[in-house]
Structures are given as structure tokens and as C-alpha cells.
Amino acid sequence: MVLDSDALCELLSPDQAPSVAEAIRGQILARGHKMSVFGHLNNNPLSMVVYAHGLGPADGAGAEQILRAAELSAAATATIAPEALQVINACRSSGRRVALVSAHCPEAVETVLTLSGLRPLVGPVIGRGPITTTWNFHTISDLLRVTMLEMGEQPADCAVVGLSVAATWAAQEAGAHGIGVVNKLVNRKHLAKFGAVVVASLPALAAALTTVHPTPL
């Protein structure tokens, strides 16, 4: 099973992300660039890094450094969601392996796992590589393919657990089975749009994992 790291913890909270985007924006302006309305209004740090790469390699590298530093700082105090731990434990007790995929830098995710004592419970951790102007949903599906390759599994035999439409779309794109978890940001209808099985919560998923014997999907 591949778990989207967003289900594990909220690395950059909705309160933190805008300040990171603003820091990137400030660096771009300090370099003398004019900025579009999109750039001025965008509060998504990852999207702002992509935007910076469109201005030039040095701008992109500087923006990426700001985002990575923010992720590593946040990782030092990130809190693991108890319900995510339930899913990991349920996978292990039922003979399933767990890997993590993330749009965050892998060093930050590894830090979260190590500080929480969970690193021995999780297999491969595949995070974001260098960002370019072509970063999009397809990049997430590519990360999933790498994750499944690291696990030695075929996509058709893997399930991907995510809390977003992007995660369920990427699972379908990568040829894996998507499991969407309903949360405050996205509802059942949207998660099911790309063929994902939808569960009401992570504890509900953990309960199902402990009662259903693993078989090839």
C-alpha cells in the first residue's frame, strides 16, 4: 500500500503555506522581475516555485531553496495523525507493506518519520525531486510509479491512499487502485470521480485492513 504523506501529517499548514509563498514572491521581486496577477495572488508554495522556474534557473533554484528550508523546519515539529498510525499498524499486522509518496522534499518526510519513531514501520519514501516548469499532476503519478518500482510491485497490485482528488487521479494515471479518504477539504463525490474506492475515514480503512486478508487486487 502506498500512503500519500498528506495523510500522515500536515507538513505545511494552511496558515504556514501563504508565508512561504510570500517569501518566494519577495525573492522574485527583489531580483527585479515583474509579476503577473497570478503570481501576486498565489499562496501555494509549490506552484510559486514552478512560477519562479519559468522566470529563470537561478530564480527557480532560489525559490526551491526557500520551500525546502520551510519544509525541513516544519518537519522538526510536525505531528503524526493518530489515525494514519492506525492504518500503518493495520497494514503491518495484516501482512501488507507500506510506502510513502510525497510532493514534499523526501528529507522532510524522512525527518518526520524518524522523529516520530515510525521509520522502521515504513518502506520506501519517495518525495519530490527537482522542480521544473513542467511540474503538474502527471509528476505525482510518476512519483507513484517510482514508489511501486521501489516496492517491487506491479501497479495493478497496489492501492494508493490519499486525501485529495490529485492523489486519486494520480493513482488512476499510474495504473494503481485509488482509495480516497473523505475529509474537510474534499467530499465523497469528488474523490470517486477517478474511480477511487472512497472510505469515510482513516480509522474505517484501518478496520477494513485488519479484517480483509490481503490478496492481489
Coordinates of all heavy atoms in Angstrom, one line a residue, residues 16 28 30 32 36 43 45 47-48 51 53 60 63 74 91 96 101 104 124 131 137 141 145 169 182 185 191 196-197:
Q16 N 0.6 28.3 7.4 CA 2.1 28.4 7.1 C 2.3 28.6 5.6 O 3.3 29.4 5.2 CB 2.8 27.2 7.6 CG 2.8 27.0 9.1 CD 3.4 25.6 9.5 OE1 3.0 24.6 8.9 NE2 4.4 25.6 10.4
I28 N 11.5 36.9 -5.7 CA 11.4 37.1 -7.2 C 11.4 38.6 -7.4 O 12.0 39.1 -8.4 CB 10.0 36.5 -7.7 CG1 10.1 35.0 -7.6 CG2 9.7 37.0 -9.1 CD1 8.8 34.2 -7.9
A30 N 12.6 40.9 -5.5 CA 14.0 41.5 -5.2 C 14.9 41.3 -6.4 O 15.9 42.0 -6.5 CB 14.5 40.9 -3.9
G32 N 14.2 41.8 -9.3 CA 13.9 42.8 -10.4 C 12.8 42.3 -11.4 O 12.6 43.0 -12.4
S36 N 3.0 38.7 -12.6 CA 1.6 38.7 -13.0 C 0.7 38.7 -11.9 O 1.0 38.5 -10.7 CB 1.4 37.4 -13.9 OG 1.4 36.3 -13.0
N43 N -0.9 31.6 -3.3 CA -0.4 31.3 -2.0 C 0.0 29.8 -1.8 O 0.1 29.3 -0.7 CB -1.5 31.6 -0.9 CG -1.6 33.1 -0.6 OD1 -0.5 33.8 -0.6 ND2 -2.7 33.6 -0.3
P45 N 2.9 27.4 -2.2 CA 4.4 27.5 -2.3 C 4.9 26.7 -3.5 O 5.8 27.1 -4.2 CB 4.9 26.9 -1.0 CG 3.8 27.1 0.0 CD 2.5 27.0 -0.8
S47 N 3.4 25.8 -6.3 CA 3.1 26.5 -7.5 C 4.0 27.7 -7.7 O 4.3 28.0 -8.9 CB 1.6 26.9 -7.5 OG 1.2 27.5 -8.7
M48 N 4.3 28.4 -6.7 CA 5.2 29.6 -6.8 C 6.6 29.2 -7.2 O 7.3 29.9 -7.9 CB 5.2 30.3 -5.5 CG 4.0 31.2 -5.2 SD 3.7 32.4 -6.5 CE 5.2 33.4 -6.4
Y51 N 6.4 28.7 -10.8 CA 6.3 30.0 -11.5 C 7.7 30.6 -11.5 O 8.1 31.2 -12.6 CB 5.4 30.9 -10.6 CG 5.2 32.3 -11.1 CD1 4.2 32.6 -12.0 CD2 6.1 33.3 -10.7 CE1 4.0 33.9 -12.5 CE2 5.9 34.6 -11.2 CZ 4.9 34.9 -12.0 OH 4.7 36.2 -12.5
H53 N 10.6 29.1 -11.6 CA 11.4 28.4 -12.6 C 11.1 28.9 -14.0 O 12.0 28.9 -14.9 CB 11.2 26.9 -12.6 CG 12.0 26.2 -11.6 ND1 13.4 25.9 -11.9 CD2 11.8 25.6 -10.4 CE1 13.9 25.3 -10.9 NE2 13.0 25.1 -10.0
G60 N 14.3 29.9 -10.0 CA 13.7 28.7 -9.6 C 14.5 28.0 -8.5 O 13.9 27.5 -7.5
A63 N 13.9 29.9 -5.2 CA 12.6 29.6 -4.7 C 12.5 28.2 -4.1 O 11.9 28.0 -3.1 CB 11.5 29.8 -5.8
A74 N 9.5 22.8 9.3 CA 8.2 22.3 9.8 C 8.2 20.8 10.2 O 7.5 20.4 11.1 CB 7.1 22.5 8.6
C91 N -1.8 -2.3 8.4 CA -1.1 -2.9 7.2 C -0.1 -3.9 7.7 O 0.0 -5.0 7.1 CB -0.4 -1.8 6.4 SG -1.5 -0.8 5.4
R96 N 0.7 -6.5 5.0 CA 0.8 -5.6 3.9 C 2.0 -4.6 4.2 O 2.2 -4.2 5.3 CB -0.4 -4.7 3.7 CG -1.7 -5.5 3.4 CD -2.9 -4.6 3.3 NE -4.1 -5.3 2.8 CZ -5.0 -5.9 3.5 NH1 -4.8 -6.1 4.9 NH2 -6.0 -6.5 3.0
V101 N 4.6 8.3 -0.5 CA 4.8 9.1 -1.7 C 4.5 10.6 -1.2 O 3.5 10.8 -0.5 CB 4.1 8.7 -2.9 CG1 2.6 8.9 -2.7 CG2 4.6 9.4 -4.2
H104 N 6.3 16.7 -1.1 CA 7.3 17.4 -0.3 C 8.7 16.9 -0.5 O 8.8 15.8 -1.1 CB 7.0 17.4 1.2 CG 5.7 18.0 1.6 ND1 5.4 19.3 1.4 CD2 4.5 17.4 2.1 CE1 4.2 19.6 1.8 NE2 3.6 18.5 2.2
P124 N 9.9 2.2 1.4 CA 10.4 3.3 0.6 C 9.6 4.6 0.8 O 8.4 4.6 1.0 CB 10.2 2.8 -0.9 CG 10.1 1.4 -0.8 CD 9.4 1.1 0.5
I131 N 12.3 20.6 -9.0 CA 11.0 21.1 -9.6 C 11.4 21.8 -10.9 O 12.4 22.5 -11.1 CB 10.4 22.1 -8.7 CG1 10.0 21.4 -7.4 CG2 9.1 22.7 -9.3 CD1 9.6 22.3 -6.3
F137 N 0.1 17.4 -12.2 CA -0.4 16.1 -11.7 C 0.3 14.9 -12.2 O 0.4 13.9 -11.6 CB -1.9 16.0 -12.0 CG -2.8 16.9 -11.1 CD1 -2.3 17.6 -10.1 CD2 -4.2 16.8 -11.3 CE1 -3.1 18.4 -9.3 CE2 -5.0 17.6 -10.5 CZ -4.5 18.4 -9.5
S141 N 1.9 11.2 -10.5 CA 1.8 9.8 -11.0 C 3.1 9.2 -11.3 O 3.3 8.0 -11.1 CB 0.8 9.7 -12.2 OG 1.4 10.5 -13.3
R145 N 4.8 5.7 -9.7 CA 5.4 4.6 -10.4 C 6.8 4.3 -9.8 O 7.1 3.1 -9.7 CB 5.5 5.0 -11.9 CG 4.2 5.1 -12.6 CD 4.4 5.4 -14.1 NE 3.1 5.5 -14.8 CZ 2.6 6.7 -15.1 NH1 3.2 7.8 -14.7 NH2 1.4 6.8 -15.7
W169 N -6.5 10.8 -8.7 CA -6.3 11.0 -10.2 C -4.9 10.3 -10.5 O -4.8 9.6 -11.5 CB -6.3 12.4 -10.6 CG -6.0 12.6 -12.1 CD1 -6.9 12.7 -13.1 CD2 -4.7 12.7 -12.7 NE1 -6.3 12.8 -14.3 CE2 -5.0 12.9 -14.1 CE3 -3.4 12.7 -12.2 CZ2 -3.9 13.0 -15.0 CZ3 -2.4 12.9 -13.1 CH2 -2.7 13.0 -14.5
V182 N -12.4 10.6 2.8 CA -13.2 11.8 2.9 C -12.7 12.7 4.1 O -12.3 12.2 5.1 CB -14.7 11.5 3.3 CG1 -15.5 12.7 3.5 CG2 -15.3 10.7 2.1
L185 N -11.7 19.0 3.3 CA -11.4 19.7 2.1 C -12.0 19.1 0.9 O -12.1 19.8 -0.1 CB -9.9 19.8 2.0 CG -9.2 20.6 3.1 CD1 -7.7 20.6 2.8 CD2 -9.7 22.0 3.2
L191 N -13.8 12.6 -4.8 CA -12.8 11.5 -4.6 C -13.1 10.3 -5.5 O -12.2 9.7 -6.0 CB -12.7 11.1 -3.2 CG -12.1 12.0 -2.2 CD1 -12.3 11.5 -0.8 CD2 -10.6 12.2 -2.5
A196 N -11.8 5.9 -7.7 CA -11.3 5.5 -6.4 C -12.4 4.9 -5.5 O -13.6 5.3 -5.6 CB -10.7 6.7 -5.6
V197 N -12.0 3.9 -4.7 CA -12.9 3.5 -3.6 C -12.8 4.5 -2.5 O -11.7 5.0 -2.2 CB -12.4 2.1 -3.1 CG1 -13.2 1.7 -1.8 CG2 -12.5 1.1 -4.1

